[in-house]
Each structure stands twice: as C-alpha cells, then as structure tokens.
Amino acid sequence: MPNVEKIKELRYSLQLSLAPYPAVRLLALVVLGILAGVNLPLPVEGWLLFCLFALLVLLAGLLYERVRNKAPYPLFFTSIGYLLFLFFSFAASSDYRLHYAARDGLLRFVGKNVLLYGRIVDQPHFSGAGVGWMMEVEELFENGQIVKLHDRAKVFMRSVGKPDITISYGDMVRVKGKLDLVPEASNRGEFDPRKAARMKQLSVQFYSAGPWQVQHEGESGLNGFDRFVVKPVYNYITKSLEELLPDGEERKLAAGVLTGERESMSEEVIEAFKLTGTAHILAVSGLNMVMLALVVQICLQRFQVTTAGRWISFVIFSFILLVYSSVTGNSPSVKRAALMSLVLIGGATIGRKSYPVNSLAVADFLILLFDPFDLLNPGFLMTNGAVLAILLISPHLIASPQKEGGLLRGVAHFLLSSVMVTLAAIIGVSPVIAYYFGTFSVISILANIPVVLFSTLLMYALVPMLLVNLVSGYVASFFAATSFFLAELTLRTALYFSQFPFASITIRPDAIEVWLYYATLAALLVFSVQRAWGRVAISLLLGLNLLFWYSFALRIPPVAPDMVTVNLGRRLVTLFSSGSETVQIDAALAARDQKRIAEQLAAYGMAAPKAVVQFYSPDSLIAKTPAARHMLQADSTILLPSMVVIRPEEKVLKLWSRERSLLIVSGTSRLKEEELYKADIAFLWVYRFAPKQQQQITSWLNYARPKRCILVPGSFLPRAHLALLQRFAASRPGVEVRSKTRQVVVQ
C-alpha cells in the first residue's frame, strides 16, 4: 500500500507540474512584458537599453558555456539573460506600437480635405449609414502636390442603402474627404476608439461624403495567395449564400457562422444573442475549426498510414486552415484555434505527445509574437478563458461513460456532458465579459444548449451545401432549405430566451476583483486535483471573503458629482444631482442609449433619476423613460424634496439644488440679464456666431458670471462660426465648447 500512495502522489505532482508545459512558462513572461510596455511610464529608449543589456548578458553566458562549461543544461546566468531579453523585447515592442506614430505620416494633414490613394486591407463593413474599411495609404494629393507616404487610415464612406460602387478586400482606390483624429471614448468606461485604433497602428480616420468621391483603381494590391485563393473562396461563399438562401436575418446568421460577418445583422438580433450569452456563435472560433479539422481528417485518413502520407496530410490540412483563416479575417479566435489545431496535428505527425494546454500556449505565443495587442482584445481573453476552463474544469464535472447502459443512457450522458462543458466555459469566461461589457447572462446555461446545438447543425448543413453547389445547385438547394430551417430555429430560440425577465444582470467588476476570482478558481482546481478537500473548502471561503471585503469595504465607491453630461453622438443628456436625488434632462432615442445612461449613473455613483425633464427630446421619449416624475414640454414646474425645476419660457430650463444651480438655454436670443437667468453652471446652444451673437453672449457673461459655461454648437453651425466660437471660448476662463468625446463633470 505505501507504494500505491507514492504512485498517487507522483501522479498528482506530474499533473500539477509545469514540466510538460514549457510554452506556458514562456507565455507568462511574454504577457508580463506586454503589460509592462503598455502600462509603465518608461520611454521606448529605456526599454531598448534594458533589452541591449539583457542581450549582452545572454551572449556572455552563451560564450562562457561554449568555452568553459560543457554541462548539458544552460547556466543560471544564461537563463536569466534569456528571460530578461524576452521580457524587455516584448515591452519595447508594445510601448513603441502604442505610443509612437510616424512623423511623416497622415497626422500632419489632420483637419484638411485631401485625396488618398491606397489599398483596402480588410473586408469592408456595410451598415445603414455607409461603408467602413481600413486603408493602407500610399499617396496623398493636396493643393496640386502628391505626397508619397506609408500609413494607415480608418475610412468611412457615407451611403444611404447599398452603394453604387463595388469595393472589396485588396482593391486599390482613390478617396476624397477629410482627415481627422480618431475620437476618444464618449463617456467614462465606454469603448475607446482611439486606443483601439492605436493597437492597430492607426492614428487618423477619414470621412468621405458619398460614393461619388470614391474611384476604383483595380485589384493590384493583392498578393498571389490572396488574389487567386482567398478572394475567390470568399466570393464563392458569399455568392452561394446569396443564391441559395433568401434575404433576411437567416442568411445574415449563416454568413456570421461561416465567415464571422455580423455587421449587417439587426441590433435586436445581436442584442438577443448578447443577453443570452450565445453571441460566441456569431464569431468564427474553435467550433468551426474543430468541425473543419474533423472533416479534413476523415477525408485524409487513408493518407495517414505511412510517414510520408502523414506529412502530406499535415501539409494539406495546414493549407486548408490557412485559407479558411484568411477568408474569415484572421480574428484572434480563428488564429488561436487554427494554430492550436496545427500544433496538435503536428505533434501526432512527428509522433510526439501534445498537451492541449501547452498547445494553447504555443498558439497564443505565436499570435502575440505578430501582434502583442491581441492580449488586450476581449475576444482573445474570452476564447482563452473558455478553452482553458473546458480543458481544466470540464473533466472534473463529467463522469466517464459506462460501457453498458443502452442508447438512452448514452444520449443522457451526451446531454449532461454538453451542459457541463457549457458550464465550464461560462465559469471561465464570465468575469471577462462582465469586466468589458458590464453584463452577466443568468440564462446562458439554458440558452446555450439549444442555440449551440442548432448552430452546430447549421454548420453541418452549410458545409455540404457549399461543396455540393460546386457540382449541382439543385441538390445544394436541399441543404440550403435545411440550413434556412436551422438558422430560423437558432434565431427564434435566442429571441425567446432573451425575453425572459432578468435574462441578463448588470455587473462590472474591476481588475482586482477579476484577478481574485481567477486566483480562487486556480486554488480550487489545484487542491481538487490533489483531493485535498479541506484546502478546497478553505480556499473557497477565503476567496469569497476577499471578494466580499474588497467589494464592499475596501473598494472606495465614487462620490456623486453635482452634474455630469452623457454624450450620445449629437444628442446630449444632462444628469443633475443633489446627492440624494437625480434629475435627467432629455432622454435616449434607442434602448442601448438608455443603457449607456444607466451605466454612467452607476459609474459616477449617482442615484437613479427621480424625474426626467424635456428640453429637446419629444414627449413620447420622456414619458417612456423610467422615473417617478416626468416634466413634459407643456409643464412649467416640478418640485422635488431636494430640487426645483422651472421652465421660464420655451427652450429655457432652470434647476436648483441646495448646492448648485443650472441654467439651460437654446439660442443666444433667449438670454436675459435677469436674476432668473443667473446660475453656477450654464449650457447655451449656439446656432450662429456672428458679431451680434458674440455681443449677446459677452453681455450676458459679464452680468451672470457663471462658474462654468458650456457652449453647445448647433448641428448646422457653419465651420467658420465654429472656429470663431472656439477662439472666443479659449479667451475666456470658465467658458468651453462642448465636445462629443469629453464629458462635463462638476463636483
């Protein structure tokens, strides 16, 4: 028996050892280097000096080993040099990519109307407002001069409906329009377009008024592989879907499942998938790769008898994965799944055992080697969290199938295994979703079972449809009918579950809470493998206590400001607070904008609106906004325990609390030098800024003397007037022009 105990201890130690996972150790160092380069305030020159020092240490160690030391393993001195060189290299690369831009690039032309010539480097994204794409610029034409350069721009061409011009990946185009900086986040905690653009080495965006300002120049920008393989395959897939499936959400879902394109899907459908935690089926990921690998391996099974056959099979398999990854846009989930599949199949080809976790780490390392900022991509983190949880947690949740038991027991085991795999994935990915998107799907466990089942069957119907369509469109139509039916089932199921009350709850943990969650989960996993159940219980209680005390005792709640604005594009919503009560001026046009307002209330620690007041929004929107009181356009007064709101005349509002007063006026002609028009904070909508309007504002400012005055440019304010307004505001303390990407916060 003692020998048996020793064997068990040895088995557990091997399971927990990192010896079979060298790529995991390497990946951990790479991740730390990227995070250091992004977050530490060290210039790239400093990182390069450290990198040079580490390289000298590494070379000195290697030279010493070659001359004096003949040991089969590297010296500690050499290992430290290698690790430091790797760390500093990734830190320097990340810092340079994020914080530096070319001096001779497009930044010097910001604010100018120019003509760009270059290549489209991604698939154009179509929406109701227009078409967007990323462009690699080669030439810029301005004032009769051609400037040669090499930079990237994010292009948007306005178009109502389907544009007359046909453009696609790899096309060479000339576009006329205006260059501008990529905007920052509109509100606190929201998606930051500027930071996301910098991670793609983008600094500017380009706006074109319509298709008449775009000229197609051919397809010479494509390399041979893209031109003769990737683009024909992509065109064949999209053309087959258009020919065999009727237009509608079903076809759009099929395109999303096959190629990952979901831009054309309606917001209602996408929101339904998000609420039910099933949005992952709209992205090409490991499921697509597993199915593709299974089909290819079955087709090439006869080749794998000999060594040469295995290598031929591996080369064909690699080529197919490369083509499919390129067709679907090489997203992080696609690259990770493809590389992981190649590592696993490659290990089998050379006759070596492959560990799935190590293969995942190899795939991640290769992805980060080419693009370090994939580490900060929510998709990258979510796919890794889900895959790791499935690999490490689901085996402990699924019992081994019994050899005897019949068909019913086998079906029951399959369904239970599916539920456990889904549960494991939810355990692994939920904190990342909550951190980035502020939601947790309560119903995701139930919704994922039918939705994933129907979407998987949809893939099984779409693949033969595409293959058979090469030979017979009539036979392919039967698979198309099945695909349409399964797509409809998938959509209806997601919409059905999304209508459940409390299908999704709002929760946004910070980074420390996410780390505490994963640290507790890792401890539970380690001790459960060791079967140390007492330590499992202690780890669980300790983790829950740390999360509780940090969240409710150590985490400092935000102090509610007296006023904050919420930017909703051209629309502006103002939140005025007395500390205990909040008044919302104007309402959101769409449900997602109302959600954004709720997120800002939570982010600034403000109470839910006690009253909603009409200023620009129609009464119908005001009445729909959740609140105890509503002040419509015809109402002149509303009294709250800690605030008073009055409407002296049309398009004028005055609000008082115990600490502050707020005045909102539309148009300079409504300004009056009266006591009622004095306030600590003032919002003034300006539609013209000729000398008359400037005199009106100046006279009122000298009389009222507000502590802060925000001038809001009207939608049709001429550019020349806007420039004058900005110079006027810059010359006066306490006066500013409203920005669509900067909130006004008054403490």
Side-chain angles (χ1 to χ4, degrees):
M1 292 302 294
N3 293 334
V4 174
E5 294 296 328
K6 289 182 179 179
I7 291 173
K8 287 184 177 180
E9 292 176 3
L10 178 62
R11 185 185 68 183
Y12 294 145
S13 64
L14 287 175
Q15 287 177 337
L16 298 175
S17 173
L18 287 178
Y21 308 109
V24 175
R25 303 194 298 270
L26 184 67
L27 180 64
L29 198 67
V30 168
V31 169
L32 291 176
I34 295 172
L35 293 177
V38 170
N39 296 299
L40 295 183
L42 186 67
V44 69
E45 293 83 3
W47 290 118
L48 290 175
L49 286 175
F50 283 126
C51 192
L52 179 62
F53 171 76
L55 179 61
L56 293 176
V57 171
L58 174 60
L59 293 176
L62 291 174
L63 181 62
Y64 178 81
E65 289 180 8
R66 186 171 183 83
V67 175
R68 302 289 301 273
N69 185 47
K70 304 298 182 181
Y73 49 85
L75 295 174
F76 176 77
F77 187 72
T78 308
S79 301
I80 290 297
Y82 166 72
L83 295 176
L84 289 177
F85 176 71
L86 190 68
F87 175 85
F88 291 134
S89 297
F90 274 89
S93 173
S94 304
D95 183 33
Y96 176 76
R97 286 169 175 248
L98 184 63
H99 299 117
Y100 292 82
R103 292 180 179 177
D104 56 349
L106 294 171
L107 276 175
R108 52 187 169 145
F109 299 99
V110 165
K112 298 181 179 180
N113 289 295
V114 295
L115 179 67
L116 301 182
Y117 171 75
R119 180 170 67 96
I120 299 175
V121 294
D122 66 347
Q123 290 294 346
H125 305 299
F126 295 85
S127 65
V131 188
W133 66 84
M134 190 184 301
M135 183 174 177
E136 202 167 79
V137 182
E138 299 178 4
E139 293 179 0
L140 181 145
F141 185 83
E142 184 202 19
N143 296 330
Q145 294 183 345
I146 296 178
V147 181
K148 297 283 186 179
L149 47 80
H150 183 75
D151 203 350
R152 286 187 165 193
K154 181 181 178 183
V155 181
F156 180 79
M157 181 190 75
R158 184 173 179 80
S159 175
V160 179
K162 191 173 182 180
D164 298 332
I165 187 170
T166 302
I167 53 175
S168 61
Y169 166 67
D171 289 353
M172 305 298 292
V173 294
R174 296 185 187 274
V175 191
K176 186 177 181 181
K178 183 182 178 182
L179 275 172
D180 205 347
L181 291 173
V182 177
E184 297 178 302
S186 300
N187 303 294
R188 176 188 285 188
E190 292 186 347
F191 173 71
D192 190 344
R194 182 172 296 180
K195 184 177 180 181
R198 283 306 309 146
M199 292 181 183
K200 298 179 181 179
Q201 285 72 64
L202 279 168
S203 300
V204 297
Q205 63 181 12
F206 189 77
Y207 177 80
S208 179
W212 60 89
Q213 293 191 323
V214 179
Q215 182 177 347
H216 193 275
E217 294 287 337
E219 302 178 355
S220 59
L222 286 174
N223 57 45
F225 176 71
D226 287 337
R227 180 182 299 179
F228 299 110
V229 179
V230 175
K231 193 168 183 178
V233 171
Y234 176 82
N235 290 338
Y236 171 72
I237 292 175
T238 54
K239 185 178 179 181
S240 298
L241 291 176
E242 291 175 359
E243 291 177 349
L244 297 172
L245 294 177
D247 190 18
E249 294 297 334
E250 291 80 8
R251 184 205 288 177
K252 296 173 184 177
L253 175 62
V257 170
L258 273 176
T259 63
E261 294 183 0
R262 61 177 186 179
E263 288 80 11
S264 59
M265 298 184 68
S266 67
E267 294 182 3
E268 179 188 4
V269 172
I270 294 177
E271 188 66 21
F273 282 107
K274 288 181 179 179
L275 289 175
T276 55
T278 56
H280 57 86
I281 73 163
L282 303 178
V284 178
S285 58
L287 176 63
N288 306 66
M289 288 298 177
V290 168
M291 294 177 62
L292 182 63
L294 179 63
V295 172
V296 174
Q297 288 296 97
I298 291 175
C299 295
L300 300 177
Q301 190 171 7
R302 289 187 174 273
F303 287 91
Q304 301 177 15
V305 178
T306 63
T307 302
R310 286 196 296 270
W311 279 106
I312 293 173
S313 175
F314 177 71
V315 171
I316 296 174
F317 177 71
S318 302
F319 178 76
I320 293 174
L321 284 189
L322 176 62
V323 173
Y324 187 65
S325 298
S326 301
V327 166
T328 55
N330 281 319
S331 66
S333 60
V334 173
K335 290 186 288 187
R336 174 200 53 76
L339 291 172
M340 187 175 177
S341 301
L342 289 176
V343 172
L344 290 172
I345 302 300
T349 302
I350 63 177
R352 296 186 61 179
K353 181 178 180 180
S354 299
Y355 294 87
V357 174
N358 198 63
S359 301
L360 176 63
V362 170
D364 287 344
F365 173 76
L366 293 175
I367 291 172
L368 297 178
L369 182 64
F370 291 100
D371 189 356
F373 295 130
D374 271 335
L375 177 65
L376 307 179
N377 188 321
F380 178 88
L381 298 176
M382 287 190 292
T383 54
N384 276 276
V387 172
L388 270 177
I390 291 172
L391 293 176
L392 300 177
I393 298 176
S394 61
H396 300 279
L397 303 177
I398 302 173
S400 301
Q402 298 181 2
K403 296 182 179 180
E404 299 180 358
L407 178 62
L408 290 178
R409 187 178 292 274
V411 172
H413 181 268
F414 171 77
L415 293 176
L416 182 61
S417 300
S418 301
V419 173
M420 293 298 104
V421 168
T422 301
L423 178 61
I426 291 172
I427 292 173
V429 80
S430 292
V432 180
I433 295 175
Y435 176 77
Y436 279 100
F437 306 108
T439 61
F440 172 71
S441 178
V442 180
I443 206 169
S444 60
I445 298 178
L446 292 176
N448 265 276
I449 297 172
V451 171
V452 171
L453 174 63
F454 294 144
S455 63
T456 304
L457 294 175
L458 174 61
M459 273 290 293
Y460 280 122
L462 287 171
V463 172
M465 180 194 78
L466 295 174
L467 295 176
V468 173
N469 193 42
L470 291 169
V471 181
S472 172
Y474 175 73
V475 178
S477 64
F478 291 97
F479 291 100
T482 306
S483 301
F484 182 85
F485 172 72
L486 292 170
E488 188 177 19
L489 276 179
T490 305
L491 289 171
R492 288 190 177 185
T493 305
L495 291 170
Y496 171 75
F497 280 105
S498 68
Q499 294 172 358
F500 277 51
F502 305 107
S504 177
I505 59 175
T506 300
I507 179 173
R508 189 181 289 274
D510 62 13
I512 295 177
E513 289 173 315
V514 173
W515 280 109
L516 285 174
Y517 173 90
Y518 282 117
T520 303
L521 187 62
L524 293 175
L525 184 62
V526 169
F527 293 136
S528 64
V529 170
Q530 295 178 341
R531 300 183 185 277
W533 305 117
R535 295 181 181 180
V536 169
I538 292 173
S539 300
L540 179 61
L541 293 174
L542 179 61
L544 292 175
N545 273 276
L546 288 174
L547 283 170
F548 174 82
W549 287 109
Y550 173 77
S551 302
F552 296 99
L554 300 178
R555 187 178 180 182
I556 301 174
V559 178
D562 294 330
M563 191 214 70
V564 63
T565 60
V566 183
N567 295 308
L568 304 175
R570 293 183 178 181
R571 304 174 70 86
L572 181 68
V573 170
T574 305
L575 303 173
F576 190 67
S577 173
S578 64
S580 58
E581 294 178 315
T582 303
V583 170
Q584 175 180 324
I585 296 101
D586 278 336
L589 184 62
R592 63 175 181 175
D593 288 337
Q594 184 58 44
K595 184 178 178 181
R596 293 172 66 186
I597 296 172
E599 290 174 350
Q600 293 306 303
L601 287 166
Y604 285 97
M606 303 176 78
K610 193 69 174 290
V612 182
V613 179
Q614 188 277 341
F615 187 70
Y616 268 115
S617 301
D619 286 348
S620 57
L621 291 179
I622 299 295
K624 291 179 181 178
T625 305
R629 306 282 298 276
H630 297 86
M631 184 173 174
L632 303 181
Q633 187 174 8
D635 300 329
S636 59
T637 306
I638 187 169
L639 300 177
L640 298 174
S642 61
M643 276 191 284
V644 177
V645 183
I646 67 169
R647 193 191 308 273
E649 61 177 294
E650 185 183 5
K651 297 301 180 183
V652 178
L653 282 176
K654 181 72 178 286
L655 296 87
W656 287 274
S657 70
R658 294 186 178 92
E659 303 293 333
R660 298 277 185 183
S661 58
L662 172 65
L663 177 69
I664 303 177
V665 180
S666 175
T668 58
S669 61
R670 291 189 174 92
L671 292 174
K672 297 179 181 179
E673 296 183 11
E674 299 177 3
E675 188 66 26
L676 190 60
Y677 286 75
K678 283 186 175 182
D680 300 320
I681 312 163
F683 279 86
L684 174 60
W685 265 256
V686 181
Y687 304 100
R688 287 180 56 82
F689 196 66
K692 177 183 178 181
Q693 287 76 30
Q694 182 175 346
Q695 176 61 35
Q696 289 172 333
I697 296 175
T698 302
S699 177
W700 177 80
L701 286 173
N702 292 335
Y703 168 77
R705 298 187 181 278
K707 295 179 181 178
R708 290 191 70 174
C709 178
I710 296 88
L711 305 176
V712 185
S715 301
F716 300 102
L717 183 70
R719 291 182 181 179
H721 288 205
L722 177 60
L724 290 173
L725 185 67
Q726 291 171 335
R727 286 198 291 268
F728 174 82
S731 65
R732 289 181 170 270
V735 180
E736 60 188 279
V737 178
R738 180 246 175 168
S739 170
K740 296 179 183 179
T741 59
R742 186 177 66 250
Q743 290 179 278
V744 179
V745 181
V746 178
Q747 295 288 352

